[in-house]
C-alpha cells in the first residue's frame, strides 16, 4: 500500500474518531446552544447572519456580538446539504482535520526526524485540539484560521522561513487566518502584533516588498472579508470593536497572574487532561477516576506526562540544538508570544483563562515538536512518544463514551 493510501486511511480514522468525540461534548450548555442556534436560524429562515458569537462579561453585565457571518454559514450550510442535526459536526471536523493535515505536512518538512503520520496523529489527538475543536462552539473554528496563519507567519519571518512559499503566499495565509479568526473570538487581537513583527524584521533585512506582499495579504483576506463587510457596511465600524467593553486601564490581578499564564500557555501543546475531567455531577477531578477506574491508568499517566511537558517547555528550549539551529529563534518567539499574552491581560477585566489564548496553540505545538525532535533519534523516546499517543487514544475514547451519556446532542 502506498504512503498516500496509508495517510488517507489515517485521515479517515482520525476524522471518524474526532467527529464521534465532538458529538460526545456538551451541547445543551449556553455557549454551545447559542453557537448552534445562530446557524440554525440561518438554515431555517435564510436571513443573512450579520453577527456571530456573543461576548459576555457576567460581573459587569457587558454583552456584545462579534461581527461577521462565517459562524452562521458554517453551521447553517451543512444543514442545507445534509439536513440532520449532526451535519455541522461533520463540516467542522473536516475543516479542522484538513488544516491539521496541512500543518503536519509543513512541520514534517521542518522536522524531518519526526514522521508525518506521527505529527498528524499527535496534533489531532492533543487534548486541547480534541476538546476545543471537535464540536461546534466558536473557539472550535479558530484552529483552522490559526494553523494557516502560523504556516504563513513562519514562512514570512526571516531566520525561520523554509522558503517553501513565496512571501506573497505567506502573507495570503496570514490575511486569511486573521480575518477568519476575527469572526469567531476576540482573541484575534493577538495576531496583528505578530504580523507587524514579521513586517519590521523583513524591512530590517531588506526583504520587504510592500506591493506584492500587501496584495497577497488582501487576496488571502478576501474570502473571510466577504462575510464580514456586509455587517460593517450595515451597522458601522463601531461593531467591529466589541472587545472595548471589557478593556480597563490596568488590571493588577492579571499583572500578578504570570504564574498561572505560563503553565496554561504551555499546556496548549501538552497532554493536559485535568481541566477536562469535570463531567456533570462531579465535584472533583478524582471523582472521575473513582467512577471510571478503567481510565485511571492512562489518565494519571497523561496527567504526569502533561506536567512534565510543561516543565520541559519552560526550560529545555534554551539549550542549543545543533541539528536545528533555528530552534533557538523558535524558543525566543515562543516566550515573546507568552509575554504578549501576559501583557494583553493587563488591560482587560477577563481572567487569564487558557481558552482565551487558544488562538496561539499552533505555535505552542510547533515549539513542543521542536523539543520532541531533539529526542527523536533515541529509540526509547520514540517508543515513549507512541505510548503517549496510545494512552491518549485509550483515555479520550473512554472519556467520550462516558460523556456521551450525560451531555451530548
Amino acid at each position: 500500500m502506498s504512503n498516500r493510501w496509508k495517510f488517507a486511511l489515517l485521515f479517515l480514522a482520525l476524522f471518524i474518531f474526532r467527529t464521534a468525540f465532538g458529538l460526545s461534548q456538551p451541547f445543551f450548555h449556553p455557549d454551545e446552544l447559542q453557537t448552534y442556534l445562530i446557524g440554525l436560524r440561518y438554515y431555517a429562515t435564510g436571513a443573512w447572519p450579520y453577527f456571530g458569537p456573543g461576548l459576555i462579561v457576567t460581573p459587569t453585565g457587558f454583552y456584545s456580538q462579534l461581527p461577521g457571518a462565517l459562524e452562521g454559514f458554517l453551521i447553517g450550510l451543512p444543514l442545507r446539504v445534509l439536513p440532520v442535526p449532526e451535519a455541522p459536526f461533520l463540516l467542522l471536523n473536516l475543516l479542522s482535520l484538513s488544516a491539521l493535515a496541512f500543518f503536519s505536512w509543513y512541520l514534517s518538512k521542518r522536522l524531518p526526524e519526526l514522521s508525518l503520520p506521527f505529527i498528524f496523529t499527535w496534533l489531532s489527538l492533543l487534548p486541547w485540539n480534541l476538546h476545543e475543536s471537535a464540536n461546534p462552539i466558536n473557539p472550535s473554528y479558530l484552529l483552522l484560521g490559526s494553523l494557516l496563519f502560523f504556516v504563513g507567519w513562519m514562512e514570512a519571518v526571516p531566520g525561520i522561513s523554509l522558503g517553501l512559499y513565496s512571501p506573497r503566499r505567506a502573507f495570503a495565509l496570514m490575511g486569511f487566518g486573521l480575518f477568519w479568526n476575527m469572526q469567531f473570538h476576540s482573541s484575534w487581537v493577538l495576531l496583528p502584533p505578530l504580523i507587524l513583527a514579521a513586517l519590521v524584521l523583513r524591512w530590517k533585512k531588506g526583504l520587504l516588498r510592500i506591493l506584492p506582499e500587501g496584495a497577497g495579504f488582501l487576496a488571502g483576506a478576501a474570502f473571510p472579508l466577504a462575510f464580514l463587510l456586509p455587517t460593517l457596511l450595515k451597522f458601522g465600524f463601531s461593531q467591529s470593536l466589541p472587545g472595548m467593553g471589557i478593556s480597563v486601564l490596568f488590571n493588577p490581578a492579571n499583572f500578578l497572574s504570570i504564574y498561572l499564564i505560563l503553565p496554561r500557555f504551555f499546556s496548549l501543546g501538552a497532554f493536559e487532561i485535568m481541566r477536562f475531567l469535570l463531567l456533570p455531577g462531579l465535584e472533583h477531578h478524582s471523582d472521575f477516576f473513582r467512577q471510571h477506574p478503567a481510565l485511571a491508568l492512562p489518565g494519571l499517566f497523561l496527567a504526569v506526562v502533561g506536567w512534565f511537558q510543561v516543565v520541559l517547555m519552560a526550560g529545555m528550549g534554551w539549550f542549543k540544538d545543533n541539528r536545528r539551529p533555528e530552534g533557538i529563534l523558535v524558543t525566543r518567539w515562543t516566550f515573546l508570544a507568552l509575554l504578549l499574552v501576559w501583557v494583553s491581560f493587563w488591560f482587560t477585566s477577563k481572567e487569564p483563562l487558557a481558552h482565551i489564548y487558544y488562538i496561539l496553540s499552533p505555535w505552542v505545538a510547533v515549539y513542543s515538536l521542536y523539543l520532541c525532535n531533539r529526542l527523536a533519534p533515541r529509540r526509547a523516546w520514540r517508543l515513549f512518544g507512541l505510548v503517549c499517543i496510545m494512552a491518549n487514544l485509550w483515555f479520550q475514547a473512554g472519556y467520550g463514551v462516558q460523556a456521551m451519556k450525560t451531555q451530548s446532542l
Side-chain angles (χ1 to χ4, degrees), residues 118 122 301 375-376 378-390:
F118 173 83
W122 183 277
F301 171 78
L375 306 173
R378 301 180 182 180
R379 184 172 183 272
W381 283 111
R382 293 200 301 273
L383 290 175
F384 182 75
L386 292 176
V387 170
C388 289
I389 288 177
M390 297 307 296

Side-chain angles (χ1 to χ4, degrees), residues 188-261:
W188 67 267
V189 298
L190 295 172
L191 300 183
L194 297 176
I195 299 174
L196 179 61
L199 289 170
V200 170
L201 288 174
R202 293 184 64 79
W203 172 69
K204 285 187 173 182
K205 296 286 186 180
L207 301 173
L208 185 62
R209 302 292 182 268
I210 289 292
L211 288 180
E213 292 168 16
F217 184 85
L218 292 175
F223 176 79
L225 266 176
F227 295 89
L228 178 61
L229 286 176
T231 304
L232 302 183
L233 293 174
K234 183 177 177 65
F235 296 94
F237 281 85
S238 61
Q239 293 287 352
S240 65
L241 297 172
M244 296 301 290
I246 62 173
S247 61
V248 295
L249 289 177
F250 184 69
N251 187 335
N254 284 347
F255 174 76
L256 298 173
S257 64
I258 183 62
Y259 72 96
L260 292 174
I261 294 175

